[in-house]
Amino acid sequence: WGTLFETEGVTKGGMQQEAIAHFESQMATFLHFWQDCKFSQVLTLLKKNPPNEMVLSRTMYGVVWQDLKTTIANIATCEDRYYNLKFNETAWPRKALSVQYTTITTELSRIIRTFESFRGQPGYGTDTLPKATKWTTVLAVISELMSVRKEMITVYRNLSNLPSVHPDSQNGMLLKVIATLEGICEHMNHDGLHAALISVCHTTLGEAKVLLQLIKGHLAILELNFSQSFSFLHRAKYELNVLFSEDSDKSRSQLPVFDWLSQFRQHLLSKASLIFFRALQRQEILVGGNLLSTRPKTNPDYLASIIEFVYKHDCKYFAIVMNSNGKFIENLGYDCPRVVAALENSERETATGLQSWPAIFSFPLDHPDHLHLWPNIVSIIMDRSASLVSTSRVPLLHYEPKFDTTYCLHALHGDMYACLVFAGKVKGKDTLNNFVLKVADIVN
């Protein structure tokens, strides 16, 4: 692998020079394995001792290497766990992993102090030998990387806890996550190091940049900011491409932590396509397109899942309704029966009555009973508000015998409500409940 730093003029022979060569070779190989996320090979490397390692251990570099071997093994074990997290309900980063990274940073600080205690001894830094200060810089950067891992684990743990946080507090938590990621991005630029270590820093920085754009996009969707939502999601795609632009075998991009980032972006893009369906549809109409056929395909495809359920289960009507609390939602195309024109009037400062209950999304798009259903939907939401809370996992079923119609409603994040309308009484309530809760998980 070559040496970690240029060492022209190093004379062969001598125990110190031999120890330096061994130290450099092992460290360079470790960094290359780390760069390629081949952590099992790191552990194999550490088991291979040269015949004279006991003699070399009496030298300055040998002492440092002996101390460093255990720490490197711990780094490889933790990194392997980190990169291979499955990010499901049971595998989000645990506190124990963060504690292990804390232990590693403590060990590295001690090793750096040991290295620096040799200052002035032969081999610490001369014209012909590698300067130990460079090695302490490398170890300090590795320590910084371990600290960043701790911060990223905290970020992921906060995201895993987000569904249990009250909707009114979610935006505040997301802003804290954004601040943490921005701090990481600001301090993660390093030059003048070994190429493999620069690559590890690049990967760590890239992960933080992608996640930062995704969280900003997520927050913009929650705030119904159409342009910023798609801008951040586009930037996230760009950062993903930059992150793996030099990954010729695509092995890193398939690691669970990076696969999760790609899936998260797909989820947000699908969610944005649903939440901003009206605005996207209006743009498609302007250019003569059909959004249902021309929109980009995403996996998962929430819009397709909703339409499939409506057709498969004889649902008359599906809508995501929002209580705008008297505010007009401009430029998003959200409409309400009878008052579409009023929503387009930017001179109006407040919305009243049905005007303040626009449809975020509805299907079928041109339902003949739309005007008749809307007052009933809004009335049920207002009358049964005590039963409609976003923390509930049980949808509200309301049967209207006069019209032989069943309304299924469930509270979502941000004063939104999912509503399904069926003719007659509903059968297969478990299937219906599971679908409504799926919609709630999407929006929330």
Side-chain angles (χ1 to χ4, degrees):
W1 292 112
T3 56
L4 191 60
F5 297 103
E6 294 297 328
T7 56
E8 295 180 3
V10 175
T11 59
K12 303 297 181 182
M15 195 161 54
Q16 184 70 286
Q17 285 81 359
E18 198 172 343
I20 293 171
H22 178 59
F23 183 90
E24 286 183 336
S25 174
Q26 297 292 82
M27 281 296 294
T29 305
F30 158 62
L31 292 175
H32 276 284
F33 283 151
W34 190 6
Q35 168 189 263
D36 297 332
C37 299
K38 297 178 179 178
F39 303 111
S40 61
Q41 295 186 38
V42 172
L43 300 177
T44 302
L45 166 73
L46 298 174
K47 295 177 182 178
K48 295 180 180 180
N49 298 325
N52 58 344
E53 177 149 329
M54 290 302 296
V55 176
L56 297 179
S57 66
R58 300 171 190 170
T59 66
M60 179 185 75
Y61 281 82
V63 169
V64 174
W65 176 244
Q66 290 300 315
D67 286 345
L68 197 53
K69 284 175 67 175
T70 301
T71 302
I72 288 176
N74 291 337
I75 291 173
T77 301
C78 289
E79 290 289 270
D80 185 54
R81 287 182 60 194
Y82 180 87
Y83 281 116
N84 286 286
L85 286 168
K86 300 300 182 183
F87 290 89
N88 55 36
E89 292 180 0
T90 60
W92 284 88
R94 301 296 179 182
K95 188 175 181 179
L97 186 56
S98 180
V99 172
Q100 287 177 288
Y101 278 117
T102 301
T103 302
I104 291 172
T105 56
T106 302
E107 292 172 353
L108 286 169
S109 297
R110 179 178 56 79
I111 292 169
I112 291 172
R113 290 196 299 271
T114 301
F115 217 154
E116 291 180 338
S117 70
F118 293 120
R119 189 181 297 276
Q121 292 191 23
Y124 185 87
T126 66
D127 292 337
T128 57
L129 293 175
K131 292 185 178 180
T133 51
K134 292 185 178 180
W135 287 109
T136 57
T137 299
V138 170
L139 296 178
V141 171
I142 294 175
S143 180
E144 183 180 342
L145 280 167
M146 299 299 96
S147 296
V148 168
R149 285 285 185 270
K150 285 170 49 184
E151 292 185 275
M152 291 298 292
I153 288 171
T154 300
V155 165
Y156 285 125
R157 289 180 66 210
N158 285 339
L159 293 179
S160 71
N161 294 330
L162 200 61
S164 62
V165 176
H166 191 278
D168 293 341
S169 303
Q170 287 188 9
N171 285 23
M173 179 178 285
L174 289 174
L175 289 173
K176 289 181 180 179
V177 168
I178 289 172
T180 300
L181 292 171
E182 287 178 337
I184 291 173
C185 294
E186 185 178 348
H187 295 98
M188 273 303 297
N189 291 307
H190 295 287
D191 297 313
L193 299 173
H194 185 273
L197 188 55
I198 291 177
S199 178
V200 175
C201 292
H202 166 77
T203 300
T204 303
L205 176 60
E207 178 190 354
K209 283 183 174 181
V210 172
L211 188 56
L212 174 60
Q213 298 304 317
L214 292 175
I215 298 301
K216 285 184 174 180
H218 180 46
L219 187 59
I221 294 172
L222 293 179
E223 295 175 344
L224 301 180
N225 192 319
F226 173 78
S227 59
Q228 285 196 3
S229 298
F230 287 97
S231 175
F232 287 131
L233 294 181
H234 176 75
R235 183 69 186 180
K237 182 180 181 180
Y238 169 79
E239 294 292 354
L240 275 170
N241 291 338
V242 170
L243 180 58
F244 301 118
S245 60
E246 298 178 359
D247 189 13
S248 57
D249 61 1
K250 305 300 179 184
S251 58
R252 286 185 304 160
S253 62
Q254 296 173 2
L255 289 170
V257 64
F258 299 122
D259 181 58
W260 181 84
L261 289 173
S262 297
Q263 289 186 38
F264 186 28
R265 180 185 169 274
Q266 287 287 313
H267 157 76
L268 291 177
L269 186 60
S270 186
K271 178 177 177 177
S273 298
L274 175 64
I275 297 298
F276 301 115
F277 179 84
R278 297 282 183 179
L280 292 170
Q281 184 188 35
R282 187 166 59 182
Q283 290 186 1
E284 287 293 321
I285 291 173
L286 291 176
V287 297
N290 183 338
L291 181 59
L292 290 177
S293 62
T294 61
R295 65 192 176 85
K297 301 301 181 183
T298 58
N299 184 21
D301 190 333
Y302 298 132
L303 190 59
S305 298
I306 290 172
I307 294 173
E308 180 184 6
F309 182 91
V310 169
Y311 283 133
K312 187 176 180 179
H313 295 86
D314 296 323
C315 178
K316 287 177 58 179
Y317 187 66
F318 173 88
I320 296 178
V321 189
M322 183 177 67
N323 179 5
S324 66
N325 295 306
K327 298 179 182 178
F328 281 108
I329 310 299
E330 299 178 2
N331 303 321
L332 295 181
Y334 298 155
D335 66 17
C336 182
R338 308 180 196 276
V339 292
V340 176
L343 286 172
E344 301 292 340
N345 187 352
S346 60
E347 296 179 0
R348 295 286 299 276
E349 295 181 356
T350 60
T352 59
L354 290 180
Q355 296 177 23
S356 62
W357 293 87
I360 299 289
F361 171 79
S362 62
F363 189 83
L365 302 178
D366 299 310
H367 195 280
D369 294 332
H370 192 109
L371 300 181
H372 164 69
L373 292 171
W374 209 254
N376 292 343
I377 292 172
V378 174
S379 177
I380 295 170
I381 292 174
M382 296 179 69
D383 292 343
R384 304 293 295 274
S385 59
S387 302
L388 288 168
V389 291
S390 58
T391 54
S392 172
R393 302 296 290 175
V394 181
L396 171 68
L397 288 177
H398 177 85
Y399 177 66
E400 191 67 55
K402 181 178 179 180
F403 301 104
D404 191 27
T405 300
T406 299
Y407 297 84
C408 176
L409 296 110
H410 189 73
L412 310 174
H413 173 86
D415 291 322
M416 297 184 191
Y417 301 86
C419 177
L420 294 92
V421 182
F422 297 86
K425 292 187 176 181
V426 173
K427 297 179 181 179
K429 292 183 180 179
D430 289 343
T431 301
L432 176 59
N433 288 358
N434 291 336
F435 171 75
V436 173
L437 293 177
K438 178 182 178 181
V439 173
D441 289 338
I442 292 170
V443 176
N444 295 349

